[in-house]
């Protein structure tokens, strides 16, 4: 299998737009849109992970605090296994000391713009050398007492384009 081509970050407007990119995110995107309704951002308390059972192992949620700092709220089993540890409850910059505001700005932007974001490219948090490409969908939520929360769903591929998770 050949490596998947990189996709610059973009704002998906529909599930079909994600399907055109070959992304397995349509059901999650549509669920987020239903939760959002007429609101700018859906409320995190309305998110029910049981509605997305096949996505659970690849889901992760990051709290966005002000002043700007990110913390893992929950991390799925495939994601934790690929990291070699479960970062749930830890600050992102404690888990990844090289991870700065430049990389984390995507999360803040998703909340400020009240729009999802998708990208496929080189991983910014390298744990294993065989990681070749990551793709993820970011879905912003309101979260009482915080700047916001971003739910992510990811797929990771090796250098040959084979899916790791």
């Amino acid at each position: 299998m050949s490596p998947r081509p990189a996709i610059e970050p973009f704002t998906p407007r529909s599930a079909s737009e994600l399907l055109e990119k070959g992304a397995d995110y349509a059901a999650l995107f549509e669920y987020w849109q239903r939760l959002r309704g007429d609101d700018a951002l859906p409320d995190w308390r309305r998110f029910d992970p049981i509605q997305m059972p096949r996505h659970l192992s690849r889901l992760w949620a990051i709290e966005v605090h002000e002043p700007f700092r990110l913390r893992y709220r929950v991390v799925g089993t495939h994601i934790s296994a690929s990291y070699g540890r479960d970062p749930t409850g830890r600050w992102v910059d404690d888990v990844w000391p090289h991870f700065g505001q430049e990389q984390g700005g995507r999360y803040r932007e998703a909340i400020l713009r009240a729009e999802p974001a998708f990208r496929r490219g080189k991983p910014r948090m390298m744990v294993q050398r065989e990681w070749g490409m990551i793709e993820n969908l970011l879905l912003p939520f309101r979260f009482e007492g915080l700047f916001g929360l971003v739910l992510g769903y990811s797929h990771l591929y090796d250098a040959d384009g084979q899916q790791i998770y």
Side-chain angles (χ1 to χ4, degrees), residues 59-149:
L59 282 176
W60 44 273
I62 290 184
E63 300 170 355
V64 181
H65 293 256
E66 288 291 335
F68 184 72
R69 197 164 184 208
L70 306 172
R71 186 171 73 176
Y72 286 106
R73 181 164 190 83
V74 66
V75 181
T77 55
H78 277 98
I79 308 292
S80 292
S82 72
Y83 290 175
R85 62 189 179 279
D86 182 1
T88 298
R90 297 187 58 201
W91 294 103
V92 172
D93 57 342
D94 288 343
V95 176
W96 310 104
H98 67 282
F99 193 83
Q101 287 196 13
E102 180 181 314
Q103 293 96 337
R106 281 183 72 210
Y107 305 100
R108 193 170 196 284
E109 271 301 304
I111 293 167
L112 284 172
R113 293 176 43 203
E115 295 179 339
F118 180 85
R119 83 175 270 276
R120 181 188 301 142
K122 290 286 182 194
R124 295 182 176 142
M125 298 175 282
M126 193 64 74
V127 175
Q128 308 289 335
R129 284 184 208 250
E130 65 267 12
W131 289 8
M133 186 77 62
I134 192 166
E135 58 184 31
N136 55 42
L137 175 65
L138 304 182
L139 299 169
F141 285 83
R142 276 190 330 272
F143 192 93
E144 190 174 329
L146 297 177
F147 181 75
L149 181 137

Side-chain angles (χ1 to χ4, degrees), residues 31-52 141-144 151:
Y31 178 61
W32 178 83
Q33 285 185 313
R34 284 192 306 276
L35 292 177
R36 181 181 183 178
D38 293 330
D39 296 332
L41 289 172
D43 189 323
W44 174 249
R45 294 174 295 188
R46 293 185 57 214
F47 179 77
D48 180 3
I50 301 305
Q51 299 299 314
M52 298 282 112
F141 285 83
R142 276 190 330 272
F143 192 93
E144 190 174 329
L151 179 69

